[in-house]
Amino acid sequence: ILNDNSEILIITSNYNIDGSEHIKVLEFNGNTIKIINSSNDETYIIDTYYDYELNKNFIITGNRSDIKSYDYNQNKIYKKYCDEVNRAHMSIIINNNKKENLELIDSSEDGNIRIWDFHNGNLLKKINITKNMLYGICLWNNRYLFTGCGDNYIKLIDLNSGKIIKEFKNHKIYSVTIKKLIHPIYGECLLSKGLFNTLLFKF
């Protein structure tokens, strides 16, 4: 998962007895490569991103009160992404298709989609979707975003206008994860994973 290493690495956030957390990088055989001190903030999701222009690997965590990106090589926080509302951040994606800036998009417990400038940490846009918690998100054709909602619907959002374009009845429970995939028969599809089942949507 890291661009400058041919090995398969596992990155996880570990909760310690004293309430603190740290990021642990492991080889596939279980050996620890490094530990990066994190915080006493609960981590809900962890991901990686490689920036080709900077030739840097980043680790990104969605936490209880904010989002953090870490410079992998320097073992320290790169940026924090937070506004006046401290809510759990449930999913994170990077949109590197924008010419103006690299965007970090996240879904939150407070029903908002937030779009951040990845490198300076500024909030570019906040889109209120619902009063319910938001879960999995998936970027679609650089302009649209699917999000799993606590009302058990998947909502399609136009990122430019901030409007909900369409709603899709999903599981009997919310979508934890949403991914775009190319099916050999159906073409572009959306894969939605709930707690108890998986659905495939054709668009």
Side-chain angles (χ1 to χ4, degrees):
I1 57 177
L2 296 174
N3 190 73
D4 61 353
N5 198 315
S6 58
E7 296 179 278
I8 297 175
L9 300 178
I10 299 170
I11 299 179
T12 183
S13 178
N14 292 338
Y15 184 78
N16 300 317
I17 296 176
D18 63 1
S20 65
E21 291 197 13
H22 61 259
I23 296 169
K24 184 179 285 188
V25 182
L26 307 164
E27 293 178 320
F28 201 69
N29 60 15
N31 293 331
T32 300
I33 295 177
K34 68 165 68 178
I35 292 176
I36 303 173
N37 289 329
S38 181
S39 67
N40 59 353
D41 201 8
E42 296 175 67
T43 299
Y44 292 90
I45 187 169
I46 190 164
D47 205 349
T48 61
Y49 174 73
Y50 178 73
D51 191 302
Y52 284 92
E53 291 188 6
L54 297 179
N55 190 28
K56 280 188 175 183
N57 285 294
F58 295 96
I59 298 172
I60 309 166
T61 61
N63 309 303
R64 162 60 64 180
S65 60
D66 60 19
I67 300 165
K68 298 181 185 72
S69 58
Y70 295 83
D71 186 313
Y72 176 79
N73 294 323
Q74 294 186 13
N75 296 345
K76 66 179 184 179
I77 292 176
Y78 178 69
K79 290 293 177 184
K80 290 184 180 180
Y81 313 84
C82 59
D83 59 7
E84 72 283 357
V85 181
N86 293 328
R87 300 297 187 200
H89 300 270
M90 307 305 295
S91 288
I92 303 166
I93 54 175
I94 297 293
N95 181 9
N96 58 3
N97 297 300
K98 293 282 187 177
K99 293 182 179 179
E100 308 84 39
N101 43 39
L102 181 68
E103 293 181 347
L104 184 152
I105 305 174
D106 84 276
S107 61
S108 177
E109 180 184 38
D110 66 355
N112 285 288
I113 296 293
R114 290 176 173 84
I115 304 176
W116 310 85
D117 185 304
F118 181 81
H119 289 302
N120 64 31
N122 291 338
L123 180 62
L124 302 174
K125 183 184 288 188
K126 181 164 70 173
I127 305 171
N128 181 252
I129 305 301
T130 176
K131 293 180 180 179
N132 296 292
M133 184 181 290
L134 298 180
Y135 294 91
I137 53 176
C138 175
L139 192 65
W140 194 274
N141 298 336
N142 303 330
R143 178 180 172 182
Y144 302 98
L145 188 81
F146 285 101
T147 180
C149 184
D151 62 4
N152 301 344
Y153 279 82
I154 294 176
K155 301 181 191 295
L156 176 62
I157 302 143
D158 185 320
L159 290 176
N160 291 335
S161 68
K163 302 295 184 182
I164 297 173
I165 304 298
K166 201 168 183 179
E167 296 183 327
F168 304 88
K169 184 62 178 176
N170 189 31
H171 308 268
K172 295 180 179 179
I173 198 167
Y174 48 83
S175 293
V176 177
T177 303
I178 302 175
K179 295 292 183 183
K180 180 178 180 180
L181 59 82
I182 306 299
H183 192 277
I185 297 176
Y186 303 116
E188 289 187 340
C189 295
L190 192 73
L191 186 68
S192 170
K193 178 69 175 69
L195 292 181
F196 307 113
N197 58 1
T198 301
L199 297 177
L200 186 67
F201 294 89
K202 164 62 180 168
F203 299 99

